[in-house]
Amino acid sequence: DAGITQSPRYKITETGRQVTLMCHQTWSHSYMFWYRQDLGHGLRLIYYSAAADITDKGEVPDGYVVSRSKTENFPLTLESATRSQTSVYFCASRGLAGDNTGELFFGEGSRLTVL
Amino acid sequence: GEDVEQSLFLSVREGDSSVINCTYTDSSSTYLYWYKQEPGAGLQLLTYIFSNMDMKQDQRLTVLLNKKDKHLSLRIADTQTGDSAIYFCAEMGRDSSYKLIFGSGTRLLVRP
């Protein structure tokens, strides 16, 4: 199906374990983003990518790693999960720079619990 | 730095108008946005306004922009129970990365 999909939708893990959240989009959008949503903080940007092999840090990158070997995929890895990383993670994408509306298309989210 | 602020909660009666307010800090923002998040779902763009506009109307939605005060509002006329959701204000970052800076979101509860 066309769109942006995240997996897994729900994940429970333990402190210190590595976790990877997957994000796949079928539009060939250039830009992709990872946000985390926490009560009282809204959405905070973790990492973003302007194109394959180009990534950059957002507001809260510590403890996370991303890669973008293919345009359609943008996985987010927690190398050693901590309880403070319990959150709902959203992947988003948008089209080329000429799309001035700036609309981001969001996945349905991945709810991660770190015990 | 860039920051977007919203009140956390709003409760209205069905049929009334809802007004959700937002303040932002980056006066160079070219676009400002309202996103809607329904329970268990991602965010969807509701509407946006270009910075050279004062108002934008789209059916039941009215967006007002006061650039002097850096204040953005979303008015929903004839609010329905289906409008119950979290509403996020967002501005485009000042650099060329096209990332959006979101507020903390306003939870709108519509009472029957």
Side-chain angles (χ1 to χ4, degrees), chain A residues 37-111:
Chain A
Q37 182 179 20
D38 304 288
L39 193 63
H41 290 281
L43 271 74
R44 292 181 291 175
L45 183 64
I46 304 171
Y47 269 96
Y48 62 100
S49 168
D53 298 321
I54 301 174
T55 62
D56 210 344
K57 295 179 180 179
E59 183 185 359
V60 288
D62 293 344
Y64 302 94
V65 175
V66 292
S67 62
R68 186 115 181 256
S69 58
K70 292 183 178 181
T71 300
E72 61 266 29
N73 296 325
F74 191 38
L76 176 73
T77 297
L78 289 66
E79 292 191 304
S80 179
T82 65
R83 288 183 181 175
S84 65
Q85 293 177 309
T86 292
S87 186
V88 181
Y89 292 85
F90 286 99
C91 180
S93 71
R94 62 156 290 168
L96 296 175
D99 174 15
N100 287 329
T101 65
E103 179 176 4
L104 295 188
F105 295 87
F106 281 83
E108 293 188 320
S110 295
R111 183 177 292 274

Side-chain angles (χ1 to χ4, degrees), chain B residues 9-50:
Chain B
F9 185 75
L10 175 66
S11 178
V12 300
R13 188 168 294 180
E14 189 175 18
D16 289 349
S17 292
S18 307
V19 179
I20 301 171
N21 295 301
C22 168
T23 57
Y24 61 98
T25 55
D26 187 357
S27 59
S28 65
S29 292
T30 53
Y31 286 91
L32 294 136
Y33 309 86
W34 285 103
Y35 277 79
K36 178 182 180 182
Q37 182 184 31
E38 297 187 355
L43 281 71
Q44 285 189 308
L45 181 66
L46 200 57
T47 187
Y48 66 94
I49 188 167
F50 189 50

